[in-house]
Amino acid sequence: MQTVTIIGAGPAGLLLAHYLLARRQYRVELYDRRPDPRLTEQFNRRTFPLALQLRGLKAIRGIAGLEAAVMAKGLLAGGTLMYGKKAKPRQVPRKVPLLMIDRHQLILVLLEQLLKRYGSEQVTTHFDCACTGVDLKGHTVTLQPTGGETRVSHFDRLVGADGARSQVRDALRRSDRLAL
């Protein structure tokens, strides 16, 4: 069984983990530089509202039972209220409603469902653990846990879901494996 290492345990990384594990061909290791979202207090959360449109909802529907869990934490918006400078507000209906959900709540649902469905032999999570380097030829990532010693982890496949300052993307950019 191949190990897929996902750097970044936000919505994209967690949803990808669901899809990979549903295939039953992979073992997944998730790493994120942020603290475990299940342990952070309400006022310390890095969060903002998200609006999931049809494409995002379709991706969530691809995993059995996940849509209901996500919908329970969100709110369907059937339209938008538009405000003009001096005009009355007007409502613009949507043909397909959006799902409005707090980013942190979405992450919690995706993570909790992932851990509930799959055992520790199939998925492991590591929070407060920043990726500080990637060796594509050696198939290793260097990780720095908060307050811990640097460690190296081997991967069969590597996915960068670590956002704007992605260590994985930087490593690919420096290699000959990515054409920009």
Side-chain angles (χ1 to χ4, degrees):
M1 189 172 284
Q2 288 191 339
T3 299
V4 178
T5 299
I6 300 174
I7 307 297
L14 290 168
L15 188 58
L16 176 61
H18 274 277
Y19 273 95
L20 290 171
L21 291 168
R23 292 180 175 187
R24 307 233 182 261
Q25 299 174 22
Y26 302 104
R27 182 183 180 296
V28 172
E29 291 182 348
L30 279 160
Y31 293 91
D32 201 288
R33 64 178 167 76
R34 291 177 298 240
D36 188 331
R38 297 166 295 173
L39 305 177
T40 57
E41 295 189 32
Q42 178 72 31
F43 62 89
N44 285 335
R45 293 180 183 162
R46 175 184 167 223
T47 191
F48 46 87
L50 295 176
L52 295 179
Q53 297 186 22
L54 188 58
R55 189 170 57 180
L57 292 171
K58 184 178 177 185
I60 289 170
R61 281 186 197 121
I63 303 296
L66 196 54
E67 181 181 18
V70 171
M71 290 285 200
K73 297 291 183 176
L75 174 70
L76 284 175
T80 304
L81 201 54
M82 304 284 282
Y83 292 91
K85 285 191 174 183
K86 293 185 180 179
K88 287 184 181 180
R90 65 183 172 104
Q91 187 170 1
V92 180
R94 296 190 58 85
K95 290 180 183 176
V96 178
L98 298 173
L99 176 67
M100 305 299 292
I101 188 167
D102 178 82
R103 181 182 185 276
H104 185 78
Q105 287 299 314
L106 178 60
I107 288 171
L108 279 175
V109 169
L110 293 172
L111 179 61
E112 288 169 355
Q113 290 292 314
L114 188 69
L115 297 175
K116 182 174 146 183
R117 291 168 191 234
Y118 304 101
S120 59
E121 307 84 43
Q122 294 174 287
V123 63
T124 55
T125 57
H126 308 272
F127 293 98
D128 284 319
C129 194
C131 176
T132 58
V134 177
D135 177 2
L136 294 173
K137 289 183 182 173
H139 287 257
T140 59
V141 289
T142 305
L143 302 152
Q144 178 67 49
T146 302
E149 293 183 25
T150 301
R151 62 182 169 157
V152 176
S153 178
H154 176 78
F155 63 84
D156 295 312
R157 298 184 184 268
L158 178 66
V159 176
D162 50 341
R165 289 179 229 102
S166 172
Q167 290 288 328
V168 177
R169 187 176 52 236
D170 287 347
L172 286 169
R173 191 177 308 138
R174 289 189 303 269
S175 78
D176 58 355
R177 296 184 183 190
L178 182 68
L180 296 176

